[in-house]
Amino acid sequence: MFYKSGRIFSLGHTLIPVILFCLYGTHYRQPIILWLACLFLLWSFLLIYQAFFTSGLYSDKKKYWLPLVMDSILYAAIFTLPDWQGDYLVTWLVLFLVPIYAFELGIFSSLLLSLIHVIHLGLFHITQHTSFWSLNTLFTLCGVMMFMVLAGYSSEKLNKMANFDPLTMLPNRLLFRRYLNQALKEKSASRKLIAVLFLDLDRFKYINDTMGHLAGDELLMTVAQRIKEELPPQALLARLGGDEYTLLLPNIKHPDEAAAVSESIIRSLEQSIPIRHREVFITTSIGIALFPDDGKDTETLMKNADIAMYRAKEHGGSTYQFYAPPVNTSGIERIQMETMLRHALERDEFVVHYQPRIDADTGELVCVEALARWNHPELGMIPPKDFIPLAEDTGLVIPLGEQILYKACSQRKRWLDIGLPPFRVSVNLSPRQFRQKDLPQMIERVLKETRLSPEYLELELTESAAMQDVTYAEQMLNDLKRMLLTIAIDDFGTGYSSLSYLKKFPIDVIKIDQSFISGIHKNSDDAAIVKAIIALAHTLKLNVTAEGVETLEQLDYLKQLQCNEVQGYLIGKPMSTQTLNDWIEYEQYYKASK
């Protein structure tokens, strides 16, 4: 009853009073049989109520033995109190409950019930003055054993397949959600907290790809075992899939208890793990959501724990973070905005604007950056700063990013079809998108559907997103580069001191953040930084783009430093498709007339 709803168990019990009513109406007109049938029917109704209308059929482990005890007492009364002398021997009644117990609770419980039924058979033959050693008893016992083995074995096998991860034998997502639902129903009236922890291994993909999947599986099993050793007795650890685990702490008094468990798990995994005669080091990022503050239902708690886990990754990994809603948005405003955002995705309210990027020397258009804009039917154009952070927090940035990528690739294909110059379209990847394991497959699917050659697509990734997990970033960027895409690092110079990693990443373009460009012709420090970045990039054979170019003085200075490409309001603001078409036409006409 811990892995099933108990509904089949409760409904199966109604067979016994139905049979007793039938026996009373046909062969045995004894009031005691009618009373026993009514009593068993009331017991069945109680089980049905528990299974269908409460948190589950005796979900509390302390009540585990109550159904077995009650059934034993009722069966003993059925076999001993009435006078069963006649044409029918009711010993076969024991055959009804054994398969139900076996199906719901497995072989052990049905075996225990079977042993009790042997006692019931003995009581029956003693009170009815019949011989225990008879062919009827033998057939009954054989039926009990057959039902117990077949139903119990099949039930346990199906139960493991449906509810447990086949690699680690931990509960899977389905069973975890069931336990969490049950815990929420039990704790909804109490003041105790429930903590949901999401765990994601920081460097698993790199180890899995370099050492092989068998080594990866061995690592996952070892990690699961180490985590279990650090857990309190009532905790439940589950594997959601891949390198993601989730943990339920159903009975804590203070958030510090969840923090303490997280710290012990992180310390345990920081120790080396022997895999195939090699030492492997791996860390984990943990997100924590608490009931009732961070959510009162399963979906909200799991989603918020996931968000907190990603924030832990943003802090460099090997740490934990409690869920915290955005500081500048109240709860009601956030819910309203999230609802609007979901509807906007469904109603296709997002449009793409494009900002041109040109060659600093020739003025030729080399790329247009695709920028998401929300065209709300009532509020008008909503700026990205008002919805991108929320989309990132809620995970909606993934379907949003795919929509923008599809629109940008489709538009670039239309530009090719009408004969516009062979410039690239650049699409930004959010940190959460970049952590998608199936990101290359999604991009490949979009390119195939839009029939766009990958040489016309550029992906922009911020420096801070690339530096969250350098090993993972290197592997993912290599996967993307093998697709013949152009890779650009955006906002360069603002995230980390990462110049040494430029030679590791398979990138083509670095975009210097506009905060350095704004004062380049006035501030000697900004000028020195930009000059150093450009020189280093050229040494590594990378193109350099200067963002935020707004004046001719900035453009002239960047030309002197041999900056390859420039982008900013001096060149062109983000514009709609039609406006960009007019801009390109004007630029072509202007150059032809010179």
Side-chain angles (χ1 to χ4, degrees):
M1 262 167 284
F2 304 124
Y3 303 138
K4 300 177 184 289
S5 65
R7 295 183 175 185
I8 294 177
F9 186 87
S10 61
L11 292 174
H13 272 68
T14 59
L15 293 174
I16 308 303
V18 169
I19 294 171
L20 291 177
F21 282 125
C22 291
L23 291 174
Y24 173 79
T26 56
H27 293 85
Y28 298 94
R29 304 289 295 185
Q30 302 177 44
I32 187 61
I33 296 178
L34 184 61
W35 281 105
L36 288 172
C38 292
L39 185 60
F40 213 114
L41 187 62
L42 289 174
W43 167 236
S44 302
F45 284 160
L46 178 60
L47 294 176
I48 291 172
Y49 174 77
Q50 291 284 341
F52 284 83
F53 302 106
T54 66
S55 59
L57 185 55
Y58 300 114
S59 55
D60 187 351
K61 292 184 179 182
K62 294 179 181 178
K63 299 178 181 178
Y64 174 81
W65 299 104
L66 183 56
L68 186 63
V69 172
M70 284 297 297
D71 286 336
S72 300
I73 293 173
L74 289 172
Y75 259 76
I78 291 170
F79 281 176
T80 59
L81 296 182
D83 181 6
W84 294 109
Q85 300 295 328
D87 297 331
Y88 296 92
L89 288 176
V90 294
T91 53
W92 43 266
L93 280 176
V94 302
L95 298 177
F96 284 90
L97 283 191
V98 170
I100 296 174
Y101 268 82
F103 182 78
E104 287 282 341
L105 300 174
I107 293 178
F108 176 76
S109 295
S110 60
L111 176 61
L112 192 56
L113 182 66
S114 301
L115 295 176
I116 295 174
H117 278 334
V118 173
I119 299 174
H120 291 152
L121 291 175
L123 292 174
F124 175 84
H125 288 290
I126 292 172
T127 56
Q128 304 302 319
H129 307 290
T130 58
S131 174
F132 180 85
W133 304 107
S134 64
L135 193 59
N136 181 74
T137 303
L138 178 61
F139 284 154
T140 302
L141 293 177
C142 288
V144 166
M145 296 300 295
M146 182 180 67
F147 283 139
M148 179 187 68
V149 173
L150 293 180
Y153 176 76
S154 300
S155 176
E156 289 187 353
K157 186 176 181 180
L158 291 173
N159 181 61
K160 288 181 180 179
M161 292 174 60
N163 296 297
F164 291 86
D165 170 56
L167 177 64
T168 61
M169 292 311 299
L170 293 174
N172 61 13
R173 182 186 296 269
L174 179 66
L175 183 55
F176 179 83
R177 292 170 65 89
R178 192 177 300 164
Y179 268 101
L180 179 55
N181 274 325
Q182 180 177 301
L184 291 176
K185 290 178 181 178
E186 292 174 355
K187 293 294 188 297
S188 58
S190 69
R191 296 184 178 181
K192 292 186 177 179
L193 301 174
I194 295 174
V196 176
L197 283 67
F198 261 49
L199 299 83
D200 186 88
L201 304 183
D202 295 324
R203 301 178 63 248
F204 176 74
K205 187 177 188 299
Y206 172 76
I207 295 173
N208 198 47
D209 291 344
T210 55
M211 297 183 64
H213 293 289
L214 292 178
D217 290 346
E218 187 177 344
L219 177 62
L220 289 172
M221 290 188 287
T222 304
V223 166
Q225 185 59 40
R226 285 200 179 181
I227 294 175
K228 285 195 292 186
E229 292 173 356
E230 304 299 325
L231 301 183
Q234 292 185 330
L236 174 72
L237 177 66
R239 182 185 175 212
L240 300 185
D243 58 344
E244 293 182 333
Y245 299 85
T246 188
L247 176 62
L248 173 63
L249 301 177
N251 193 20
I252 62 175
K253 298 179 180 178
H254 195 276
D256 288 347
E257 295 181 40
V261 172
S262 301
E263 289 174 353
S264 64
I265 292 173
I266 291 171
R267 285 195 302 270
S268 174
L269 294 182
E270 285 176 347
Q271 305 299 318
S272 65
I273 299 175
I275 301 291
R276 297 177 175 255
H277 308 294
R278 294 175 62 181
E279 278 191 319
V280 173
F281 292 87
I282 197 164
T283 56
T284 184
S285 298
I286 303 176
I288 306 172
L290 299 172
F291 167 85
D293 294 339
D294 301 331
K296 296 183 179 180
D297 59 85
T298 299
E299 291 293 339
T300 304
L301 282 171
M302 293 184 71
K303 179 189 70 175
N304 290 341
D306 192 28
I307 292 171
M309 183 269 291
Y310 280 113
R311 286 180 176 166
K313 282 188 174 293
E314 290 172 2
H315 284 74
S318 192
T319 187
Y320 66 90
Q321 288 287 316
F322 283 92
Y323 172 76
V327 177
N328 296 325
T329 308
S330 69
I332 296 178
E333 290 173 344
R334 175 185 170 86
I335 293 173
Q336 291 175 340
M337 181 64 80
E338 182 179 344
T339 302
M340 290 168 54
L341 195 59
R342 292 182 185 276
H343 289 321
L345 285 167
E346 297 170 358
R347 298 167 183 167
D348 197 24
E349 294 177 1
F350 291 97
V351 297
V352 182
H353 284 191
Y354 300 91
Q355 186 173 25
R357 197 166 90 206
I358 65 171
D359 186 287
D361 292 326
T362 66
E364 295 290 332
L365 179 64
V366 295
C367 187
V368 293
E369 182 177 357
L371 300 167
R373 297 292 186 266
W374 183 357
N375 188 15
H376 193 278
E378 297 177 1
L379 303 177
M381 202 67 73
I382 300 177
K385 65 181 180 65
D386 290 343
F387 67 87
I388 292 295
L390 178 61
E392 183 77 18
D393 277 349
T394 58
L396 294 175
V397 74
I398 293 177
L400 173 59
E402 186 171 348
Q403 268 195 20
I404 299 303
L405 177 66
Y406 189 90
K407 290 175 182 287
C409 290
S410 298
Q411 182 58 52
R412 185 64 192 95
K413 183 62 170 64
R414 286 193 287 270
W415 281 328
L416 280 173
D417 293 341
I418 64 175
L420 290 189
F423 55 86
R424 300 186 303 276
V425 61
S426 179
V427 179
N428 292 278
L429 292 178
S430 75
R432 192 157 186 162
Q433 278 182 287
F434 187 63
R435 288 191 291 269
Q436 278 183 271
K437 302 296 192 299
D438 62 343
L439 178 62
Q441 290 77 15
M442 184 272 287
I443 295 173
E444 186 177 12
R445 184 180 68 253
V446 170
L447 289 174
K448 184 177 180 180
E449 291 177 1
T450 58
R451 295 180 290 115
L452 180 67
S453 174
E455 64 185 283
Y456 294 108
L457 178 60
E458 177 180 299
L459 299 176
E460 287 191 26
L461 178 69
T462 62
E463 179 188 6
S464 58
M467 295 303 297
Q468 285 177 12
D469 186 339
V470 174
T471 305
Y472 171 82
E474 182 180 0
Q475 182 65 46
M476 177 58 76
L477 290 175
N478 277 315
D479 291 343
L480 296 173
K481 190 61 184 174
R482 280 192 286 269
M483 298 170 61
L484 305 180
L485 304 172
T486 301
I487 308 295
I489 296 295
D490 196 12
D491 298 338
F492 189 83
T494 62
Y496 298 80
S497 300
S498 57
L499 296 178
S500 61
Y501 289 102
L502 283 178
K503 61 182 180 180
K504 290 187 175 183
F505 292 158
I507 59 177
D508 306 285
V509 181
I510 59 173
K511 302 182 72 174
I512 304 175
D513 187 73
Q514 60 184 352
S515 61
F516 298 110
I517 304 302
S518 60
I520 191 174
H521 57 291
K522 299 177 182 178
N523 189 303
S524 59
D525 291 337
D526 286 346
I529 291 172
V530 172
K531 183 177 181 180
I533 293 175
I534 293 174
L536 176 64
H538 287 167
T539 301
L540 297 174
K541 298 181 174 57
L542 302 175
N543 280 350
V544 183
T545 296
E547 295 183 293
V549 179
E550 298 181 351
T551 66
L552 288 173
E553 291 84 355
Q554 294 170 351
L555 177 61
D556 291 338
Y557 196 86
L558 289 167
K559 286 182 178 180
Q560 295 176 20
L561 296 179
Q562 298 182 329
C563 182
N564 303 101
E565 302 164 1
V566 291
Q567 180 180 356
Y569 281 9
L570 178 66
I571 314 303
K573 296 181 179 181
M575 55 191 82
S576 66
T577 301
Q578 184 56 51
T579 305
L580 182 65
N581 290 341
D582 296 340
W583 183 89
I584 294 174
E585 184 178 344
Y586 172 79
E587 289 294 314
Q588 290 176 332
Y589 173 80
Y590 177 76
K591 290 176 183 177
S593 63
K594 289 181 65 176

